[in-house]
Amino acid sequence: FMVQQAQFASVYAEEVLGFKNPKLGLINIGTEDGKGREMDKQVGELFKQNKALNFYGNVEPKEVLSPPADILISDGFTANIVMKTIEGTAKGMGTMLKQELKKGILGKLGLLLSAGNLKRFKKRMSPSEIGGAMIMGLRGVVIKAQGASKSEGFANAIVQAANVVRQDVINKVSSRLGEEQ
């Protein structure tokens, strides 16, 4: 199933995001081939063997925000832990940064001068910017919005779904999967 997930993600990256031959990374505890759970080793080998995938290799979670690959694949449990850890870290770092910038006159001046930059940074880290996660299937398009999504997040999820439909991603994935059988 993770090979199919990788195929789907590759077509999505090509057709909707505009990547040419996107590199695929497998989230794992180390970059070496022998690292990780047995499942991760097996999936890595399947990715390597699949000529339709441009497999980069294993990617450690510490690289998720600036990855060496265009697509990161993992099982749902691991991916959820990674995403929730990033979300919690970002929130905690934001709180600490605010606390520090509110200390002393220079901190407050720095906050005033960098307010626009900080707002843009916060927006880049917002789950609402993405819209949601695609629930992959071959019968239709489903975007699952993040639990804390507000109207902007739902609007972005609708735009995301519309782009998937416009680019005919479902049929292109079906064709690619059919070619492999």
CSV table of all heavy atoms in Angstrom, one decimal, residues 14-74:
chain,number,residue,atom,x,y,z
A,14,GLU,N,3.6,15.9,-9.5
A,14,GLU,CA,3.8,16.3,-10.9
A,14,GLU,C,2.7,17.1,-11.4
A,14,GLU,O,2.9,18.2,-12.0
A,14,GLU,CB,4.0,15.0,-11.7
A,14,GLU,CG,5.2,14.2,-11.5
A,14,GLU,CD,5.2,12.8,-12.1
A,14,GLU,OE1,4.2,12.5,-12.8
A,14,GLU,OE2,6.1,12.1,-11.9
A,15,GLU,N,1.5,16.7,-11.2
A,15,GLU,CA,0.3,17.3,-11.9
A,15,GLU,C,-0.2,18.5,-11.2
A,15,GLU,O,-0.7,19.5,-11.8
A,15,GLU,CB,-0.8,16.2,-12.0
A,15,GLU,CG,-0.4,15.0,-12.9
A,15,GLU,CD,-0.1,15.4,-14.3
A,15,GLU,OE1,-0.7,16.4,-14.8
A,15,GLU,OE2,0.7,14.7,-14.9
A,16,VAL,N,-0.2,18.5,-9.9
A,16,VAL,CA,-0.8,19.6,-9.1
A,16,VAL,C,0.3,20.6,-8.7
A,16,VAL,O,0.1,21.8,-8.7
A,16,VAL,CB,-1.6,19.1,-7.9
A,16,VAL,CG1,-2.2,20.3,-7.1
A,16,VAL,CG2,-2.8,18.2,-8.4
A,17,LEU,N,1.4,20.1,-8.2
A,17,LEU,CA,2.4,21.0,-7.6
A,17,LEU,C,3.5,21.4,-8.7
A,17,LEU,O,4.3,22.3,-8.4
A,17,LEU,CB,3.1,20.3,-6.4
A,17,LEU,CG,2.1,19.9,-5.3
A,17,LEU,CD1,2.9,19.2,-4.2
A,17,LEU,CD2,1.4,21.1,-4.7
A,18,GLY,N,3.5,20.7,-9.8
A,18,GLY,CA,4.4,21.1,-10.9
A,18,GLY,C,5.8,20.6,-10.8
A,18,GLY,O,6.7,21.1,-11.5
A,19,PHE,N,6.1,19.6,-10.0
A,19,PHE,CA,7.4,19.0,-9.9
A,19,PHE,C,7.7,18.1,-11.1
A,19,PHE,O,6.8,17.3,-11.5
A,19,PHE,CB,7.6,18.1,-8.6
A,19,PHE,CG,7.7,18.9,-7.4
A,19,PHE,CD1,6.5,19.2,-6.6
A,19,PHE,CD2,8.9,19.4,-6.9
A,19,PHE,CE1,6.6,19.9,-5.4
A,19,PHE,CE2,9.0,20.2,-5.8
A,19,PHE,CZ,7.8,20.4,-5.0
A,20,LYS,N,8.9,18.1,-11.6
A,20,LYS,CA,9.3,17.2,-12.7
A,20,LYS,C,10.0,16.1,-12.1
A,20,LYS,O,11.0,16.3,-11.4
A,20,LYS,CB,10.1,17.9,-13.7
A,20,LYS,CG,9.5,19.1,-14.4
A,20,LYS,CD,8.4,18.7,-15.4
A,20,LYS,CE,7.7,19.8,-16.0
A,20,LYS,NZ,6.3,19.7,-16.2
A,21,ASN,N,9.6,14.9,-12.2
A,21,ASN,CA,10.2,13.7,-11.7
A,21,ASN,C,10.6,13.9,-10.2
A,21,ASN,O,11.7,13.9,-9.8
A,21,ASN,CB,11.5,13.4,-12.5
A,21,ASN,CG,12.0,12.0,-12.2
A,21,ASN,OD1,11.3,11.1,-11.8
A,21,ASN,ND2,13.3,11.8,-12.4
A,22,PRO,N,9.5,14.1,-9.4
A,22,PRO,CA,9.8,14.4,-8.0
A,22,PRO,C,10.5,13.3,-7.2
A,22,PRO,O,10.3,12.1,-7.5
A,22,PRO,CB,8.3,14.5,-7.4
A,22,PRO,CG,7.5,13.8,-8.3
A,22,PRO,CD,8.1,13.9,-9.7
A,23,LYS,N,11.4,13.7,-6.3
A,23,LYS,CA,12.2,12.8,-5.5
A,23,LYS,C,11.3,12.3,-4.3
A,23,LYS,O,10.7,13.2,-3.7
A,23,LYS,CB,13.5,13.4,-5.0
A,23,LYS,CG,14.5,13.6,-6.1
A,23,LYS,CD,15.9,14.0,-5.5
A,23,LYS,CE,15.8,15.5,-5.0
A,23,LYS,NZ,17.0,16.1,-4.6
A,24,LEU,N,11.4,11.1,-4.0
A,24,LEU,CA,10.6,10.5,-3.0
A,24,LEU,C,11.5,10.0,-1.8
A,24,LEU,O,12.5,9.3,-2.1
A,24,LEU,CB,9.9,9.2,-3.6
A,24,LEU,CG,9.1,8.4,-2.6
A,24,LEU,CD1,7.8,9.0,-2.2
A,24,LEU,CD2,8.8,7.0,-3.3
A,25,GLY,N,11.2,10.4,-0.6
A,25,GLY,CA,11.9,10.0,0.6
A,25,GLY,C,11.0,9.2,1.5
A,25,GLY,O,9.8,9.5,1.6
A,26,LEU,N,11.6,8.3,2.2
A,26,LEU,CA,10.9,7.5,3.2
A,26,LEU,C,11.3,8.0,4.6
A,26,LEU,O,12.5,7.9,4.9
A,26,LEU,CB,11.3,6.0,3.0
A,26,LEU,CG,10.7,5.0,4.0
A,26,LEU,CD1,9.2,5.0,4.0
A,26,LEU,CD2,11.3,3.6,3.8
A,27,ILE,N,10.4,8.5,5.4
A,27,ILE,CA,10.7,8.9,6.7
A,27,ILE,C,11.1,7.7,7.5
A,27,ILE,O,10.4,6.7,7.6
A,27,ILE,CB,9.5,9.6,7.4
A,27,ILE,CG1,9.1,10.9,6.6
A,27,ILE,CG2,9.8,9.9,8.9
A,27,ILE,CD1,7.9,11.6,7.2
A,28,ASN,N,12.3,7.8,8.1
A,28,ASN,CA,12.9,6.7,8.9
A,28,ASN,C,13.8,7.2,9.9
A,28,ASN,O,14.1,8.4,9.9
A,28,ASN,CB,13.7,5.8,7.9
A,28,ASN,CG,13.8,4.4,8.4
A,28,ASN,OD1,13.7,4.1,9.6
A,28,ASN,ND2,14.1,3.4,7.5
A,29,ILE,N,14.3,6.4,10.8
A,29,ILE,CA,15.1,6.8,11.9
A,29,ILE,C,16.6,7.0,11.6
A,29,ILE,O,17.4,7.5,12.4
A,29,ILE,CB,15.0,5.8,13.1
A,29,ILE,CG1,15.6,4.5,12.7
A,29,ILE,CG2,13.6,5.8,13.7
A,29,ILE,CD1,15.8,3.5,13.9
A,30,GLY,N,17.0,6.7,10.4
A,30,GLY,CA,18.3,6.9,9.9
A,30,GLY,C,18.3,6.9,8.4
A,30,GLY,O,17.4,6.5,7.7
A,31,THR,N,19.4,7.4,7.8
A,31,THR,CA,19.5,7.5,6.3
A,31,THR,C,20.0,6.2,5.7
A,31,THR,O,19.8,6.0,4.5
A,31,THR,CB,20.4,8.7,5.9
A,31,THR,OG1,21.7,8.5,6.5
A,31,THR,CG2,19.8,10.0,6.3
A,32,GLU,N,20.7,5.4,6.5
A,32,GLU,CA,21.2,4.2,5.9
A,32,GLU,C,20.1,3.2,5.6
A,32,GLU,O,19.1,3.1,6.3
A,32,GLU,CB,22.2,3.5,6.9
A,32,GLU,CG,23.3,4.4,7.4
A,32,GLU,CD,23.0,5.3,8.6
A,32,GLU,OE1,21.8,5.3,9.1
A,32,GLU,OE2,23.9,6.0,9.0
A,33,ASP,N,20.4,2.3,4.6
A,33,ASP,CA,19.4,1.3,4.1
A,33,ASP,C,19.0,0.4,5.3
A,33,ASP,O,17.8,-0.1,5.3
A,33,ASP,CB,19.9,0.5,3.0
A,33,ASP,CG,20.0,1.3,1.7
A,33,ASP,OD1,19.3,2.4,1.6
A,33,ASP,OD2,20.7,0.9,0.7
A,34,GLY,N,19.9,0.0,6.1
A,34,GLY,CA,19.6,-1.0,7.1
A,34,GLY,C,18.9,-0.5,8.4
A,34,GLY,O,18.6,-1.2,9.3
A,35,LYS,N,18.5,0.8,8.4
A,35,LYS,CA,17.9,1.4,9.6
A,35,LYS,C,16.4,1.2,9.6
A,35,LYS,O,15.7,1.0,8.5
A,35,LYS,CB,18.1,2.9,9.6
A,35,LYS,CG,19.6,3.3,9.9
A,35,LYS,CD,19.8,3.1,11.3
A,35,LYS,CE,21.2,3.7,11.7
A,35,LYS,NZ,21.4,4.0,13.0
A,36,GLY,N,15.8,1.2,10.8
A,36,GLY,CA,14.3,1.2,10.9
A,36,GLY,C,13.7,-0.1,11.2
A,36,GLY,O,14.4,-1.1,11.3
A,37,ARG,N,12.4,-0.1,11.3
A,37,ARG,CA,11.7,-1.3,11.5
A,37,ARG,C,11.7,-2.2,10.2
A,37,ARG,O,12.1,-1.7,9.2
A,37,ARG,CB,10.2,-1.0,11.8
A,37,ARG,CG,10.0,-0.1,13.0
A,37,ARG,CD,8.6,0.5,13.1
A,37,ARG,NE,8.4,1.4,11.9
A,37,ARG,CZ,7.3,2.1,11.8
A,37,ARG,NH1,6.3,1.9,12.6
A,37,ARG,NH2,7.2,2.9,10.7
A,38,GLU,N,11.4,-3.4,10.4
A,38,GLU,CA,11.4,-4.4,9.3
A,38,GLU,C,10.5,-3.8,8.1
A,38,GLU,O,10.9,-3.9,7.0
A,38,GLU,CB,11.0,-5.8,9.7
A,38,GLU,CG,11.2,-6.8,8.7
A,38,GLU,CD,12.6,-6.9,8.2
A,38,GLU,OE1,13.6,-6.8,9.0
A,38,GLU,OE2,12.8,-7.2,7.0
A,39,MET,N,9.4,-3.3,8.5
A,39,MET,CA,8.5,-2.7,7.5
A,39,MET,C,9.2,-1.6,6.7
A,39,MET,O,9.1,-1.5,5.5
A,39,MET,CB,7.2,-2.2,8.1
A,39,MET,CG,6.2,-1.5,7.1
A,39,MET,SD,4.8,-0.7,7.9
A,39,MET,CE,5.6,0.7,8.6
A,40,ASP,N,9.9,-0.7,7.4
A,40,ASP,CA,10.6,0.4,6.7
A,40,ASP,C,11.6,-0.1,5.8
A,40,ASP,O,11.8,0.4,4.6
A,40,ASP,CB,11.2,1.3,7.7
A,40,ASP,CG,10.1,2.0,8.6
A,40,ASP,OD1,9.1,2.4,8.1
A,40,ASP,OD2,10.3,2.1,9.8
A,41,LYS,N,12.4,-1.1,6.2
A,41,LYS,CA,13.4,-1.7,5.3
A,41,LYS,C,12.7,-2.3,4.1
A,41,LYS,O,13.2,-2.2,2.9
A,41,LYS,CB,14.2,-2.8,6.1
A,41,LYS,CG,15.0,-2.3,7.2
A,41,LYS,CD,15.6,-3.4,8.0
A,41,LYS,CE,16.1,-3.0,9.3
A,41,LYS,NZ,16.6,-4.1,10.1
A,42,GLN,N,11.6,-3.0,4.2
A,42,GLN,CA,10.9,-3.7,3.1
A,42,GLN,C,10.4,-2.6,2.2
A,42,GLN,O,10.5,-2.7,0.9
A,42,GLN,CB,9.8,-4.6,3.6
A,42,GLN,CG,10.3,-5.8,4.3
A,42,GLN,CD,9.2,-6.7,4.9
A,42,GLN,OE1,8.0,-6.4,4.7
A,42,GLN,NE2,9.6,-7.7,5.6
A,43,VAL,N,9.8,-1.6,2.7
A,43,VAL,CA,9.2,-0.5,1.9
A,43,VAL,C,10.3,0.2,1.1
A,43,VAL,O,10.2,0.5,-0.1
A,43,VAL,CB,8.4,0.5,2.7
A,43,VAL,CG1,8.0,1.7,1.9
A,43,VAL,CG2,7.1,-0.2,3.3
A,44,GLY,N,11.4,0.5,1.8
A,44,GLY,CA,12.6,1.1,1.1
A,44,GLY,C,13.0,0.3,-0.1
A,44,GLY,O,13.3,0.8,-1.2
A,45,GLU,N,13.1,-1.0,0.1
A,45,GLU,CA,13.5,-1.9,-1.0
A,45,GLU,C,12.5,-1.9,-2.1
A,45,GLU,O,12.9,-1.9,-3.3
A,45,GLU,CB,13.7,-3.4,-0.4
A,45,GLU,CG,14.4,-4.3,-1.4
A,45,GLU,CD,15.8,-3.8,-1.8
A,45,GLU,OE1,16.5,-3.2,-1.0
A,45,GLU,OE2,16.1,-3.9,-3.0
A,46,LEU,N,11.2,-1.9,-1.8
A,46,LEU,CA,10.2,-1.9,-2.8
A,46,LEU,C,10.2,-0.5,-3.6
A,46,LEU,O,10.1,-0.5,-4.8
A,46,LEU,CB,8.8,-2.0,-2.2
A,46,LEU,CG,8.4,-3.4,-1.7
A,46,LEU,CD1,7.1,-3.4,-0.9
A,46,LEU,CD2,8.4,-4.4,-2.8
A,47,PHE,N,10.5,0.6,-2.9
A,47,PHE,CA,10.7,1.8,-3.6
A,47,PHE,C,11.9,1.8,-4.5
A,47,PHE,O,11.8,2.3,-5.6
A,47,PHE,CB,10.8,3.0,-2.6
A,47,PHE,CG,9.6,3.4,-1.8
A,47,PHE,CD1,9.7,4.3,-0.8
A,47,PHE,CD2,8.3,2.9,-2.1
A,47,PHE,CE1,8.5,4.8,-0.1
A,47,PHE,CE2,7.2,3.3,-1.4
A,47,PHE,CZ,7.3,4.2,-0.4
A,48,LYS,N,13.0,1.2,-4.1
A,48,LYS,CA,14.2,1.2,-4.9
A,48,LYS,C,13.9,0.4,-6.2
A,48,LYS,O,14.4,0.7,-7.3
A,48,LYS,CB,15.3,0.5,-4.1
A,48,LYS,CG,16.2,1.4,-3.4
A,48,LYS,CD,17.4,0.7,-3.0
A,48,LYS,CE,17.4,0.6,-1.5
A,48,LYS,NZ,18.5,-0.2,-0.9
A,49,GLN,N,13.2,-0.7,-6.1
A,49,GLN,CA,12.9,-1.6,-7.2
A,49,GLN,C,11.9,-1.0,-8.2
A,49,GLN,O,11.9,-1.5,-9.3
A,49,GLN,CB,12.4,-3.0,-6.7
A,49,GLN,CG,13.4,-3.8,-5.9
A,49,GLN,CD,12.8,-5.0,-5.2
A,49,GLN,OE1,11.6,-5.3,-5.4
A,49,GLN,NE2,13.6,-5.6,-4.4
A,50,ASN,N,11.1,-0.1,-7.8
A,50,ASN,CA,10.0,0.4,-8.6
A,50,ASN,C,10.6,1.5,-9.5
A,50,ASN,O,10.9,2.6,-9.1
A,50,ASN,CB,8.9,1.0,-7.7
A,50,ASN,CG,7.7,1.3,-8.5
A,50,ASN,OD1,7.7,2.0,-9.5
A,50,ASN,ND2,6.5,0.8,-8.1
A,51,LYS,N,10.7,1.2,-10.8
A,51,LYS,CA,11.3,2.2,-11.8
A,51,LYS,C,10.4,3.4,-12.0
A,51,LYS,O,10.9,4.4,-12.5
A,51,LYS,CB,11.5,1.5,-13.1
A,51,LYS,CG,12.4,0.3,-13.0
A,51,LYS,CD,13.8,0.7,-12.6
A,51,LYS,CE,14.7,-0.5,-12.5
A,51,LYS,NZ,15.7,-0.5,-11.4
A,52,ALA,N,9.1,3.4,-11.6
A,52,ALA,CA,8.3,4.5,-11.8
A,52,ALA,C,8.5,5.6,-10.7
A,52,ALA,O,8.0,6.7,-10.8
A,52,ALA,CB,6.8,4.1,-11.8
A,53,LEU,N,9.2,5.2,-9.6
A,53,LEU,CA,9.5,6.1,-8.5
A,53,LEU,C,10.9,6.6,-8.6
A,53,LEU,O,11.8,5.9,-8.8
A,53,LEU,CB,9.2,5.4,-7.2
A,53,LEU,CG,7.8,4.9,-6.9
A,53,LEU,CD1,7.8,4.1,-5.6
A,53,LEU,CD2,6.8,6.0,-6.9
A,54,ASN,N,11.1,7.9,-8.3
A,54,ASN,CA,12.4,8.5,-8.2
A,54,ASN,C,12.8,8.5,-6.7
A,54,ASN,O,12.6,9.5,-6.0
A,54,ASN,CB,12.4,9.9,-8.8
A,54,ASN,CG,13.7,10.6,-8.7
A,54,ASN,OD1,14.8,9.9,-8.5
A,54,ASN,ND2,13.8,11.8,-9.0
A,55,PHE,N,13.2,7.3,-6.2
A,55,PHE,CA,13.5,7.1,-4.8
A,55,PHE,C,14.8,7.7,-4.4
A,55,PHE,O,15.9,7.4,-4.8
A,55,PHE,CB,13.4,5.7,-4.4
A,55,PHE,CG,13.6,5.4,-2.9
A,55,PHE,CD1,12.8,6.0,-2.0
A,55,PHE,CD2,14.5,4.4,-2.5
A,55,PHE,CE1,12.9,5.8,-0.7
A,55,PHE,CE2,14.6,4.2,-1.1
A,55,PHE,CZ,13.8,4.8,-0.2
A,56,TYR,N,14.7,8.7,-3.5
A,56,TYR,CA,15.9,9.4,-2.9
A,56,TYR,C,16.6,8.5,-1.9
A,56,TYR,O,17.8,8.4,-1.8
A,56,TYR,CB,15.5,10.7,-2.3
A,56,TYR,CG,16.6,11.3,-1.5
A,56,TYR,CD1,17.6,12.1,-2.1
A,56,TYR,CD2,16.6,11.2,-0.1
A,56,TYR,CE1,18.6,12.6,-1.3
A,56,TYR,CE2,17.6,11.7,0.7
A,56,TYR,CZ,18.6,12.5,0.0
A,56,TYR,OH,19.6,13.0,0.8
A,57,GLY,N,15.8,7.9,-1.0
A,57,GLY,CA,16.3,7.1,0.1
A,57,GLY,C,15.6,7.5,1.4
A,57,GLY,O,14.5,8.2,1.4
A,58,ASN,N,16.1,7.1,2.5
A,58,ASN,CA,15.6,7.4,3.8
A,58,ASN,C,15.8,8.9,4.2
A,58,ASN,O,16.9,9.4,3.9
A,58,ASN,CB,16.2,6.5,4.9
A,58,ASN,CG,15.8,5.1,4.8
A,58,ASN,OD1,14.7,4.8,4.3
A,58,ASN,ND2,16.6,4.2,5.3
A,59,VAL,N,14.9,9.5,4.9
A,59,VAL,CA,15.0,10.8,5.4
A,59,VAL,C,14.6,10.8,6.9
A,59,VAL,O,13.6,10.3,7.3
A,59,VAL,CB,14.0,11.8,4.6
A,59,VAL,CG1,14.0,13.2,5.2
A,59,VAL,CG2,14.3,11.8,3.1
A,60,GLU,N,15.5,11.4,7.7
A,60,GLU,CA,15.3,11.5,9.1
A,60,GLU,C,14.2,12.6,9.4
A,60,GLU,O,14.2,13.6,8.7
A,60,GLU,CB,16.6,11.8,9.8
A,60,GLU,CG,17.6,10.6,9.8
A,60,GLU,CD,18.8,10.8,10.6
A,60,GLU,OE1,18.7,11.5,11.6
A,60,GLU,OE2,19.8,10.3,10.3
A,61,PRO,N,13.5,12.4,10.5
A,61,PRO,CA,12.4,13.3,10.9
A,61,PRO,C,13.0,14.7,11.1
A,61,PRO,O,12.3,15.7,10.8
A,61,PRO,CB,11.8,12.8,12.2
A,61,PRO,CG,12.0,11.3,12.0
A,61,PRO,CD,13.3,11.1,11.3
A,62,LYS,N,14.2,14.9,11.5
A,62,LYS,CA,14.8,16.2,11.7
A,62,LYS,C,14.9,17.0,10.4
A,62,LYS,O,15.1,18.2,10.5
A,62,LYS,CB,16.2,16.1,12.4
A,62,LYS,CG,17.3,15.5,11.5
A,62,LYS,CD,18.6,15.3,12.2
A,62,LYS,CE,19.6,14.7,11.3
A,62,LYS,NZ,20.9,14.6,12.0
A,63,GLU,N,14.8,16.3,9.3
A,63,GLU,CA,14.9,17.0,8.0
A,63,GLU,C,13.5,17.3,7.4
A,63,GLU,O,13.4,17.8,6.2
A,63,GLU,CB,15.7,16.1,7.0
A,63,GLU,CG,17.1,15.9,7.4
A,63,GLU,CD,17.8,15.0,6.4
A,63,GLU,OE1,17.5,13.8,6.4
A,63,GLU,OE2,18.7,15.5,5.7
A,64,VAL,N,12.4,17.1,8.1
A,64,VAL,CA,11.1,17.2,7.5
A,64,VAL,C,10.8,18.6,7.0
A,64,VAL,O,10.1,18.8,6.0
A,64,VAL,CB,10.0,16.7,8.5
A,64,VAL,CG1,8.6,17.1,8.1
A,64,VAL,CG2,10.1,15.2,8.6
A,65,LEU,N,11.3,19.6,7.7
A,65,LEU,CA,10.9,21.0,7.4
A,65,LEU,C,11.8,21.5,6.2
A,65,LEU,O,11.5,22.5,5.6
A,65,LEU,CB,11.0,21.9,8.6
A,65,LEU,CG,9.9,21.7,9.6
A,65,LEU,CD1,10.1,22.6,10.8
A,65,LEU,CD2,8.5,21.8,9.0
A,66,SER,N,13.0,20.9,6.0
A,66,SER,CA,13.8,21.2,4.9
A,66,SER,C,14.3,19.9,4.3
A,66,SER,O,15.5,19.6,4.3
A,66,SER,CB,14.9,22.2,5.3
A,66,SER,OG,15.7,21.6,6.3
A,67,PRO,N,13.4,19.2,3.7
A,67,PRO,CA,13.8,17.8,3.2
A,67,PRO,C,14.6,17.8,1.9
A,67,PRO,O,14.5,18.7,1.1
A,67,PRO,CB,12.4,17.2,3.0
A,67,PRO,CG,11.6,18.3,2.6
A,67,PRO,CD,12.0,19.5,3.4
A,68,PRO,N,15.4,16.7,1.8
A,68,PRO,CA,16.2,16.6,0.6
A,68,PRO,C,15.4,16.0,-0.6
A,68,PRO,O,15.9,15.8,-1.7
A,68,PRO,CB,17.3,15.6,1.0
A,68,PRO,CG,16.7,14.8,2.1
A,68,PRO,CD,15.8,15.7,2.8
A,69,ALA,N,14.2,15.6,-0.3
A,69,ALA,CA,13.3,15.0,-1.3
A,69,ALA,C,12.0,15.9,-1.4
A,69,ALA,O,11.7,16.7,-0.5
A,69,ALA,CB,12.9,13.6,-0.9
A,70,ASP,N,11.3,15.7,-2.5
A,70,ASP,CA,10.1,16.5,-2.8
A,70,ASP,C,8.9,15.9,-2.1
A,70,ASP,O,7.9,16.7,-1.7
A,70,ASP,CB,9.8,16.6,-4.3
A,70,ASP,CG,11.0,17.1,-5.1
A,70,ASP,OD1,11.5,18.2,-4.7
A,70,ASP,OD2,11.4,16.5,-6.0
A,71,ILE,N,8.9,14.6,-1.9
A,71,ILE,CA,7.8,13.9,-1.2
A,71,ILE,C,8.3,13.1,-0.1
A,71,ILE,O,9.4,12.5,-0.2
A,71,ILE,CB,7.1,12.9,-2.3
A,71,ILE,CG1,6.6,13.7,-3.5
A,71,ILE,CG2,6.0,12.1,-1.6
A,71,ILE,CD1,6.3,12.7,-4.7
A,72,LEU,N,7.6,13.1,1.0
A,72,LEU,CA,8.0,12.3,2.2
A,72,LEU,C,6.9,11.3,2.4
A,72,LEU,O,5.7,11.7,2.5
A,72,LEU,CB,8.3,13.1,3.4
A,72,LEU,CG,9.4,14.1,3.3
A,72,LEU,CD1,9.6,14.9,4.6
A,72,LEU,CD2,10.7,13.3,3.0
A,73,ILE,N,7.2,10.0,2.5
A,73,ILE,CA,6.2,9.0,2.7
A,73,ILE,C,6.5,8.3,4.0
A,73,ILE,O,7.7,8.1,4.4
A,73,ILE,CB,6.2,7.9,1.6
A,73,ILE,CG1,5.9,8.6,0.2
A,73,ILE,CG2,5.3,6.7,1.8
A,73,ILE,CD1,4.5,8.9,0.0
A,74,SER,N,5.5,7.9,4.7
A,74,SER,CA,5.6,7.1,5.9
A,74,SER,C,4.2,6.4,6.2
A,74,SER,O,3.2,6.8,5.6
A,74,SER,CB,5.9,8.0,7.1
A,74,SER,OG,6.1,7.2,8.3
